[in-house]
Amino acid sequence: MYRFFRSLRSMCAPITAFIGFSCLLTFIFILYQPTPGPGIKQRLGWQSWDSISMNSDDLATVSSNTSSQAAEPHVDLPEGVDWWNVSGLPGTGQDTVNTTSLPLDVWLPTAPHDTGLSEISIVHCYMDPQLAGDLCAPSTTPEKDAIRGPWVRVERNLNLESGYLSGYLSIFYRRTRRLDINLIDSIRLFSPDETPVPPEGWTKVDKSVRTGIYHAPPLFLWYHVGKTAGDMSTEEKNQLITEIDVLYGDDVPWWGFERLQSATTPKVEGRTVSTYITIRKGVKPVPKAPPLHFSRDGKFKILQIADLHYSVSVGRCRDIRPNSALYTNCDAPDGPGSDNLSSTLLAHMLDVEKPDLVVFTGDQLNGQETSWDPKSVLAKFAKEVWGRGIPWAAIFGNHDSEDGLGREDQMTLLEAMPYSLSQRGPKDVHGVGNYVLAVRSADPSMTHLLTLYFLDSGDYSKGFYNFWGMFTPTAYDWIRQDQIDWFLRESSKIQMIERPFTPDGAKDISSIHWSRQTDQLTPQTRRLARPNALAFFHMPLPEAYNAPDKNPDTNWPLDKGLSGLEPNGNAQGNDGFFEKALLATTESDHVNSQAQGAGQGPRQEVKVVANGHCHVTENCRRIKGVWMCFGGGGSYSGYGKIGFDRRFRVFEISEYGEKIRTWKRTEGTDAAPDGTVMDDMVLVGPGAPSY
């Protein structure tokens, strides 16, 4: 035993050294993974970075904008130019994107790339590329990657509608910034017996874009390689292919894209929808919405669109009066579908009402396994709004996160759409889409006259997964305590102004007349107070179904519109948003009982709450001084009730934010093509019921 332990002691030092050295090598070459940065991905040089300089004026502007969040902006206007059209003014949509900072090895269809593609390939794989990684990627070498760019996969499966057995069919392309590489300027799809004419410069991809689709005739992608970037003129660069995407369904592609004519997956009625390859030519910067502002006569109009319930397909109409022309048109096999009919109705409402802002109050997606590709649905739900250049904002409903992308990814898409004012909001607050928009005066003072709060009321707080792994909800979500805290902080940041507001006439010029009809305002004492506010969220609060206030002049309940046609739509859980937030935030920090007795209006800052969710509920009810208004269903794709016309709610804010009026406009008929205006009433301001 003595000799045995002595031999172990003699081996201890070399064994320890060997194990320690092995651990050191394992850590250096295997475990140690430094954060990949530009210095690792590519050799750094002066071409890799842009120099950024700021002059004293820029620094002064940044300093003034960041010194106080409560400070109101002010700008000296050039003659004949409105402040919201001044180039370079913060929030005017004049910001630009540095395209040299965009990555070349990542698929970002919303990024405004100006670099072209050098090569395209189609790859069929029976493993999910997200799991297989480079296993199914086209073969390459470091030399080819350095010259033509690395392979980038379009993260959309062309065989998605064909089932799991058909595998994954992916598009790969190379992108490069080199000026000496010939770039792709055209893409076409041809059957096997067709070829481009003339054939010079065209390359055929070996794999069919219908590989794996049972009984589908082959279809091949051809791309034309043109000049190098260094030899192209400006017009030729505008025809350069800068991005490839995939669209599911027969509706419009993502903004800036155009779809190739032939469907890669043909539509089978009742079973599958069509799949298309879409391309973007040149640089298509997304139009930005101008800052929200009142008109010169102090008016601002909001159109609320509630519960569109769009699907990847064209949709099926629900609860339409039988034997009507609409029913026949909607139920036809080759008809436009409920989504397109709803978009046509929405377009007519926009043309009639001409709003300054459109607010989508949730359930843009139908969910329920029909919106399985949210990106294809989001491409079409707001097309009538941004097609008219109208600013819009959106919040999420309970159905929006049932299929496909989560709320985070959907908001990234919404923010990248034309004229969108939607925002993700703070990440440390429950939900996605808690943000604030200010509507300012049209005069050079740019005074904050109206506040718009947007909150995410969530989707589901409880549920279970069935045998097939599908989630079945059992309880709605609600506005949480950290959202209440966020709301109180945002309200405290808003600066009090002198009300009623009078526009600044110091900068008037002969061609502009600021009309101010003082005789239209009820005489009232000027006071320092926060601007009136409206709040938008999808799910109604439990208090929305409480007994309404009574008009002290008539003793009638302040409840106008249809309700009670369906069960209450509020969540059972409640963190007290009504009491802790809506009733706790006041117009002024110095309002006292004497001021209230003088008839200076309610203490609450938020005068109106606008909800969706309940399609056949569309009343406005005042609860403890706060109006609770429902939008009613405005889509043929969502449930309704026979005899209950689809409708949209309008809010008109006038007299520089002092007066809030609302009405609903229904779908048109032969007798009333512009629809019927219902329940026109003044909620706040001159002509409103007393408090």
Side-chain angles (χ1 to χ4, degrees), residues 2-291:
Y2 171 76
R3 276 185 277 184
F4 174 73
F5 284 112
R6 188 174 63 180
S7 63
L8 289 180
R9 186 179 65 180
S10 64
M11 291 187 295
C12 182
I15 291 176
T16 302
F18 177 79
I19 294 176
F21 188 65
S22 300
C23 292
L24 180 63
L25 294 178
T26 302
F27 174 77
I28 294 176
F29 293 104
I30 298 177
L31 298 180
Y32 176 63
Q33 297 291 335
T35 302
I40 296 175
K41 301 288 287 187
Q42 62 184 12
R43 186 179 298 276
L44 294 181
W46 64 269
Q47 301 96 332
S48 304
W49 305 99
D50 291 331
S51 61
I52 300 176
S53 63
M54 299 184 68
N55 56 35
S56 58
D57 294 336
D58 296 329
L59 293 173
T61 302
V62 173
S63 176
S64 63
N65 288 338
T66 57
S67 60
S68 174
Q69 290 182 320
E72 292 289 349
H74 188 95
V75 60
D76 292 327
L77 293 178
E79 184 173 342
V81 178
D82 296 316
W83 64 263
W84 55 88
N85 290 324
V86 176
S87 177
L89 189 69
T92 56
Q94 304 295 330
D95 51 323
T96 58
V97 177
N98 180 14
T99 57
T100 60
S101 64
L102 299 175
L104 301 182
D105 55 350
V106 179
W107 183 65
L108 291 174
T110 58
H113 274 290
D114 59 356
T115 51
L117 312 182
S118 62
E119 191 175 351
I120 299 176
S121 180
I122 305 292
V123 174
H124 185 240
C125 187
Y126 284 101
M127 293 184 63
D128 188 344
Q130 293 184 343
L131 301 176
D134 296 335
L135 180 64
C136 294
S139 60
T140 185
T141 63
E143 291 76 13
K144 290 182 179 180
D145 289 347
I147 297 173
R148 309 187 68 85
W151 284 110
V152 177
R153 183 175 67 88
V154 176
E155 298 177 6
R156 314 271 280 174
N157 182 13
L158 289 173
N159 283 351
L160 186 62
E161 275 286 83
S162 303
Y164 294 106
L165 296 179
S166 62
Y168 296 84
L169 192 63
S170 303
I171 303 174
F172 284 81
Y173 63 72
R174 296 183 188 267
R175 183 191 297 278
T176 179
R177 287 196 180 99
R178 291 179 62 117
L179 301 180
D180 58 343
I181 299 299
N182 298 83
L183 302 176
I184 299 173
D185 56 14
S186 183
I187 298 177
R188 302 282 298 276
L189 295 175
F190 290 106
S191 60
D193 55 348
E194 294 179 315
T195 56
V197 178
E200 290 78 13
W202 287 91
T203 300
K204 176 184 176 182
V205 179
D206 295 335
K207 190 76 68 177
S208 168
V209 295
R210 290 176 176 171
T211 301
I213 303 177
Y214 186 64
H215 279 326
L219 191 67
F220 291 93
L221 185 146
W222 291 70
Y223 60 90
H224 183 268
V225 178
K227 299 179 180 179
T228 64
D231 294 334
M232 287 185 179
S233 63
T234 303
E235 292 76 12
E236 290 171 331
K237 287 182 179 179
N238 290 333
Q239 296 301 315
L240 199 64
I241 307 297
T242 56
E243 191 56 87
I244 300 177
D245 200 355
V246 174
L247 169 71
Y248 303 107
D250 293 311
D251 285 288
V252 296
W254 195 256
W255 190 90
F257 286 77
E258 57 186 74
R259 66 185 183 187
L260 302 182
Q261 290 301 318
S262 301
T264 59
T265 300
K267 177 181 178 181
V268 179
E269 189 64 38
R271 291 179 54 190
T272 63
V273 299
S274 303
T275 302
Y276 293 92
I277 296 175
T278 63
I279 59 174
R280 185 180 64 206
K281 293 183 178 181
V283 180
K284 298 285 193 306
V286 178
K288 301 295 183 181

Side-chain angles (χ1 to χ4, degrees), residues 25 109 133-134 214 292 367 411 454 550 555 561 606 608 615 652 688:
L25 294 178
D134 296 335
Y214 186 64
L292 300 179
M411 182 57 73
F454 300 85
K550 289 188 176 181
N555 206 34
V606 176
V608 182
H615 300 190
E652 183 186 69

